Amino acid sequence: MKKTIILSVLALTFAFANILKAEMSLSGYAEFFAGSADQSTAYGVANQSGIDPSGMDNGNYSRITANYSTTLDSGIDVGGTMNMTNRDCQGDKTNNCNVVNFNMLNFSGNFGTVSVGERFAAGAASLSRMTASGPTAEPDGGVLGRFYTADGNNYYGAGNEVDYANNSMKILYSSNVISGFSFTASYDPNSANSGLATTTNGQRTAAADFAKWGSFSDILSIFGTYSMEMDGIGLTLVYGQQTGNAGQIAGTNYNDLDESAYSAKVTYGNFAVDYRKNEADNSGTVKSSNAGNDEGTSICGEYGMGNMRVAACNVETSFTTAANLSNSSTIRTYAADYALGGGVTIGAVYFDVEQVANSTTQTDVDGLMTKLSVGF
């Protein structure tokens, strides 16, 4: 017994000694929101009551982040990130799990960078996305939806490429930049893997929502990037393709993933503007049906002056249903934020949302949301 205890202590001491060889830093982030909306139409009916949620919300992305780095004897740099969030998949916040739960390891050298673990895919690492990087991180942050009632009975198309902001287990490679050119590739064996044991397989067993396949397997994403600067004007162009497997449910076959996505970003001084589009066509829809034309487009502009930023975004999506009917959505945001110092930022966003299914307005709402965030 004593021998076992001594061996255990020695093993633990050896483990800590090896762990401490890596340098580590700890940081955190917290966010808080308040909002209210004026919704004139919900589910195709005008002037309904009780459809304007208002009040306060603590968002999606509050977390503690541990970063660590070390160098192997071969000279390869190794770094990792682990996020601990107050939204966990196994607790009482299951609807908000998988948001910032990253756990990845990166190996970097003259060959580029290889990353493995819970992380975003090549599209998120490459495409310009000012819908997420601008003031209040909306409309991409998704907190706006807490303050109005969206139509859950129709599909309107995707505002981002498939597998975006999905931190399922995957492997990613990023090349070094040569004369402005670089490329990034990722492989996701199962986009439904949320970290729970029950999602390791991820094969769908029930009918897909709106006749759309919800989670593909064997997703291969390859994106190329070209960046240049001339006379103070910066230009970054990104183009990529994604492929993946769907499957069959109850004898019904679904189309595999075949998607293209691209973006262009121009910067000049404190001003920036970007354009991004994703085209998935009939990916994930029932084969031999009329469904398809799944597209999303965003245009954003931002201007910074000292501690303040102002921005505007327009996001449009479209989709053709199996009945050959056209659905579309539009989200417009006008946002601003101000850095108070010490990691504290305040911001506000005015938003306008419209969803149209088969020429009938299902959702029409505008509102205002404020944001208080702190990084520490």
Side-chain angles (χ1 to χ4, degrees):
M1 181 65 179
K2 290 182 178 179
K3 183 178 180 181
T4 302
I5 294 175
I6 292 174
L7 290 175
S8 299
V9 171
L10 289 174
L12 187 61
T13 302
F14 178 78
F16 274 117
N18 280 273
I19 291 173
L20 291 175
K21 290 180 180 179
E23 296 182 2
M24 190 187 79
S25 64
L26 199 63
S27 62
Y29 173 80
E31 59 183 12
F32 308 92
F33 296 86
S36 182
D38 180 14
Q39 185 156 357
S40 60
T41 305
Y43 297 106
V45 179
N47 300 319
Q48 293 195 73
S49 61
I51 57 176
D52 305 333
S54 62
M56 299 184 67
D57 190 276
N58 66 349
N60 292 326
Y61 305 101
S62 296
R63 73 262 187 188
I64 297 292
T65 301
N67 290 297
Y68 51 94
S69 61
T70 189
T71 301
L72 303 182
D73 293 340
S74 61
I76 295 176
D77 294 324
V78 179
T81 297
M82 179 178 291
N83 275 330
M84 295 160 282
T85 174
N86 63 346
R87 305 285 195 178
D88 69 286
C89 295
Q90 305 199 31
D92 62 352
K93 303 294 186 181
T94 55
N95 290 332
N96 293 311
C97 73
N98 237 9
V99 180
V100 292
N101 291 358
F102 295 113
N103 182 15
M104 71 184 83
L105 194 60
N106 306 318
F107 299 85
S108 301
N110 294 331
F111 54 84
T113 299
V114 176
S115 179
V116 61
E118 295 178 354
R119 59 156 302 122
F120 288 166
S126 304
L127 291 167
S128 177
R129 208 175 310 264
M130 289 172 59
T131 52
S133 63
T136 73
E138 295 292 337
D140 193 86
V143 180
L144 293 180
R146 312 283 177 85
F147 299 105
Y148 69 91
T149 302
D151 175 29
N153 296 326
N154 294 281
Y155 179 69
Y156 293 92
N160 293 289
E161 74 277 7
V162 169
D163 213 23
Y164 166 63
N166 182 0
N167 62 335
S168 54
M169 287 288 296
K170 57 179 66 72
I171 186 169
L172 178 142
Y173 170 75
S174 296
S175 73
N176 292 323
V177 179
I178 301 176
S179 299
F181 290 94
S182 61
F183 76 93
T184 303
S186 63
Y187 173 70
D188 186 344
N190 172 20
S191 62
N193 186 347
S194 66
L196 292 173
T198 55
T199 64
T200 301
N201 186 325
Q203 179 64 38
R204 295 189 68 99
T205 57
D209 297 335
F210 312 115
K212 282 278 295 181
W213 194 261
S215 54
F216 296 91
S217 60
D218 297 320
I219 299 178
L220 178 63
S221 308
I222 302 176
F223 284 81
T225 302
Y226 174 70
S227 296
M228 62 165 288
E229 184 175 344
M230 181 179 296
D231 297 329
I233 299 175
L235 173 66
T236 301
L237 303 175
V238 180
Y239 178 84
Q241 292 276 348
Q242 296 197 127
T243 59
N245 298 324
Q248 181 188 93
I249 294 176
T252 300
N253 293 306
Y254 293 81
N255 289 303
D256 291 337
L257 173 63
D258 184 5
E259 181 180 37
S260 62
Y262 46 92
S263 69
K265 183 177 182 179
V266 178
T267 59
Y268 181 73
N270 296 328
F271 177 76
V273 60
D274 79 346
Y275 172 88
R276 177 174 46 83
K277 186 165 187 177
N278 46 278
E279 300 174 315
D281 194 21
N282 63 357
S283 300
T285 64
V286 176
K287 287 187 175 181
S288 70
S289 75
N290 293 316
N293 300 317
D294 190 347
E295 298 182 357
T297 303
S298 71
I299 301 176
C300 295
E302 179 183 318
Y303 180 75
M305 39 191 169
N307 290 352
M308 186 176 181
R309 297 185 302 167
V310 293
C313 281
N314 185 83
V315 181
E316 297 181 354
T317 68
S318 61
F319 180 72
T320 300
T321 69
N324 205 29
L325 303 175
S326 296
N327 295 349
S328 63
S329 75
T330 302
I331 301 178
R332 297 184 181 93
T333 59
Y334 307 91
D337 66 9
Y338 187 84
L340 299 173
V344 179
T345 301
I346 57 173
V349 54
Y350 172 82
F351 60 92
D352 180 30
V353 180
E354 186 178 61
Q355 295 175 315
V356 179
N358 188 26
S359 301
T360 300
T361 299
Q362 299 292 324
T363 305
D364 191 3
V365 57
D366 56 84
L368 180 67
M369 185 180 75
T370 62
K371 177 181 180 180
L372 171 64
S373 64
V374 57
F376 53 91

